[in-house]
Amino acid sequence: MSNLMWSKNVSLQTGVLTLSGISAAQLGKEFGTPSFFLDEEAFRSRAISWQRSLESEFGPNAGTIFYAAKSFICTAVAQWIAEIGIGIDVCTGGELAVALAGGISPEKIELHGNNKSVAEIDRAVSVGVRTIVIDSLIEIERVAAAAQKAGKRQAVMLRLTPGIEAHTHEKISTAHEDVKFGFSIASGAAWDAAEAVATHPQLELRGVHCHIGSQIFGSEAHEIATERLVGFMAKYRDAFGIELPELDLGGGFGIAYIEGDITVEPSDVLPQIHAALKKVCAEKNLAIPTISLEPGRNIVGPTMFTLYEVGTVKDVVIEGGKVRTYVSVDGGMSDNARTALYDAQYTAVIAQRISSAPLTLTRLVGKHCETGDIIINEIQLPSDIAPGDLIATPATGAYGRSMASNYNHVPRPPVVAVKDGKARVIVRRENEADLLALDVKE
Ligand code: LLP
């Protein structure tokens, strides 16, 4: 468990921010703002730590860490994943294309999605992805047809909804009953799906999967999911005489965004999940299945910060005659949609100088034409904050750049990887030509 919002090679000790020894001022000058800066060594070590911890906890039953590409992916990061040797979870043809472009072996790729197109399924089957995680009865037919066409037997898993109300924001909670994802265990839909898969010799059911939500703390929800999924596997064994070999418990492990938050580390949850697994497998007289996980946010989230430049500062008189200082930066909801979407909380610092000015109630906002374009709703920042100051917001690695948009025709920021005192662009900044590239002139 750690309570650091900043990645390990970030220092704030001298009052100015440095990443791997390079100052925020230098980074801003060289790469411009807004930009995402990625602590490459921290990314690699978090990814490796999940895989090693899984192996040391589960021994021969350890499966694969499938990094959730949706949290952030680009070709360079896919290359790192290939080098590190973990797997990847992709949920669209686009994410699959990046994984392949980065040289990730299809054997390490699992395909997700509640509405995979026939073309996406065909591509996944023909390149030979390791597993397709099936989400609907219609998809069973589609994957079987694709396998038939390719003359292959395709390994599949069933995505199940174990009916858990995970304690997180409703929009990122995925395993209660009334959601679009998966097959409900309680309603019998999961059983119907298992029976349907069994009618297709082209499909090999490898096991069951669930993803209970995102930004979850503690291991309780994953433990309950384990019990319910293993219960299903036991029922399957009783009916079909086959022990399903694999269990994938998805991702969802939380990270620190603001002071007082914690970042879940593998050692905080894996022993508890293992204990729950051993207990329920013993009760059901089942061999322990191979366990896989799909952390996204927990790997990449803490490894990036966003650097902005302040453009304007405005004092606004609010209720009770109080003053709120609006600090506008050169990005906003186009590079961080999470505050607007999920009421997510972030923190920020002035990155290039020390200030001893008294703190004042501040709202950090972007440059978009929208009141809800808020990065931080309420934060105490030094009252001498001024145009030209650099502002850094930590823990923006997950669902930041990956959910970025071109709203108001704002070019999306670059991602700059920093390692051993050297910085390099791994996703370049969009420019005006990019913004116009898709338009067809009359
Ligand atoms: N596996 C599956 C099947 C998923 O659907 C997800 C996330 C993950 C793994 C990775 O979850 P993580 O470890 O990153 O929590 N945009 C939202 C999060 C949506 C997550 C969707 N699925 C946010 O910004 O909070």
Side-chain angles (χ1 to χ4, degrees):
M1 212 148 77
S2 80
N3 59 0
L4 293 178
M5 288 101 56
W6 298 93
S7 68
K8 61 194 275 214
N9 297 299
V10 167
S11 159
L12 291 160
Q13 267 167 8
T14 55
V16 296
L17 187 153
T18 63
L19 170 55
S20 190
I22 312 180
S23 72
Q26 178 61 32
L27 291 171
K29 197 166 142 213
E30 196 172 337
F31 300 99
T33 56
S35 292
F36 290 95
F37 292 97
L38 169 53
D39 184 342
E40 178 179 348
E41 193 271 321
F43 180 95
R44 287 174 180 268
S45 64
R46 295 195 70 76
I48 291 167
S49 156
W50 272 100
Q51 184 63 42
R52 292 217 179 116
S53 305
L54 192 75
E55 284 164 13
S56 71
E57 180 62 46
F58 291 93
N61 302 116
T64 305
I65 294 297
F66 293 98
Y67 170 66
K70 68 207 81 182
S71 57
F72 174 69
I73 195 67
C74 63
T75 307
V77 168
Q79 288 176 292
W80 304 349
I81 302 274
E83 229 177 279
I84 292 166
I86 62 171
I88 192 160
D89 135 20
V90 298
C91 69
T92 59
E95 288 180 359
L96 175 60
V98 182
L100 294 172
I104 299 176
S105 157
E107 259 302 296
K108 299 268 188 189
I109 300 177
E110 56 171 22
L111 178 67
H112 272 288
N114 68 298
N115 185 16
K116 307 168 189 79
S117 69
V118 169
E120 285 171 325
I121 293 169
D122 277 347
R123 173 115 200 260
V125 171
S126 68
V127 301
V129 300
R130 183 176 190 275
T131 33
I132 296 182
V133 183
I134 289 188
D135 198 275
S136 67
L137 290 176
I138 291 168
E139 197 175 283
I140 294 173
E141 305 304 318
R142 290 181 183 157
V143 177
Q148 172 87 29
K149 202 164 81 187
K152 290 183 173 179
R153 190 152 191 252
Q154 177 63 50
V156 297
M157 295 184 94
L158 288 176
R159 177 162 178 167
L160 306 187
T161 29
I164 295 165
E165 306 277 343
H167 297 290
T168 186
H169 192 283
E170 191 195 342
K171 285 188 199 148
I172 53 175
S173 168
T174 47
H176 45 292
E177 293 291 333
D178 191 2
V179 283
K180 67 173 181 170
F181 296 109
F183 299 99
S184 149
I185 299 178
S187 75
W191 192 249
D192 296 344
E195 286 184 328
V197 169
T199 65
H200 292 284
Q202 306 86 344
L203 302 181
E204 181 200 354
L205 185 61
R206 299 284 307 166
V208 289
H209 168 280
C210 70
H211 172 74
I212 50 187
S214 216
Q215 185 64 352
I216 293 169
F217 295 94
S219 55
E220 202 190 340
H222 287 91
E223 289 173 50
I224 299 170
T226 303
E227 284 164 24
R228 296 193 183 161
L229 265 63
V230 170
F232 182 86
M233 292 164 100
K235 186 175 167 196
Y236 188 90
R237 184 261 331 264
D238 295 343
F240 290 89
I242 296 169
E243 291 202 11
L244 296 172
E246 290 183 31
L247 176 63
D248 186 332
L249 295 172
F253 307 100
I255 64 163
Y257 283 99
I258 56 170
E259 205 73 56
D261 283 356
I262 52 155
T263 294
V264 173
E265 297 299 339
S267 59
D268 300 327
V269 289
L270 295 184
Q272 293 85 332
I273 295 173
H274 195 183
L277 181 67
K278 282 193 281 201
K279 183 164 170 276
V280 63
C281 285
E283 279 165 20
K284 306 284 182 192
N285 195 24
L286 269 180
I288 308 245
T290 299
I291 290 285
S292 294
L293 295 171
E294 303 164 341
R297 184 194 316 268
N298 194 275
I299 292 177
V300 72
T303 69
M304 284 196 225
F305 65 83
T306 311
L307 194 66
Y308 300 103
E309 186 179 308
V310 174
T312 64
V313 180
K314 186 191 279 181
D315 283 345
V316 174
V317 180
I318 58 171
E319 266 171 35
K322 280 200 298 185
V323 169
R324 190 200 302 282
T325 303
Y326 276 77
V327 173
S328 300
V329 294
D330 49 359
M333 65 193 299
S334 54
D335 58 74
N336 185 348
R338 299 195 67 258
T339 307
L341 276 176
Y342 320 118
D343 297 319
Q345 291 191 296
Y346 287 87
T347 188
V349 295
I350 300 180
Q352 92 291 4
R353 69 179 172 98
I354 304 167
S355 169
S356 49
L359 300 177
T360 188
L361 180 66
T362 303
R363 180 166 286 170
L364 190 71
V365 297
K367 64 178 281 140
H368 296 277
C369 287
E370 184 154 333
T371 306
D373 173 28
I374 295 171
I375 300 168
I376 302 176
N377 198 33
E378 280 200 348
I379 182 170
Q380 296 286 334
L381 283 176
S383 53
D384 64 351
I385 205 158
D389 272 333
L390 295 177
I391 300 280
T393 53
T396 55
Y399 309 106
R401 183 59 179 78
S402 75
M403 288 172 64
S405 76
N406 289 123
Y407 184 38
N408 296 144
H409 277 61
V410 168
R412 289 177 296 174
V415 180
V416 178
V418 182
K419 184 167 182 268
D420 300 331
K422 294 198 183 75
R424 65 190 196 284
V425 171
I426 58 170
V427 178
R428 75 155 167 81
R429 185 184 302 284
E430 279 179 334
N431 55 35
E432 235 174 71
D434 293 320
L435 295 178
L436 293 172
L438 304 181
D439 291 4
V440 179
K441 218 169 175 180
E442 289 293 345

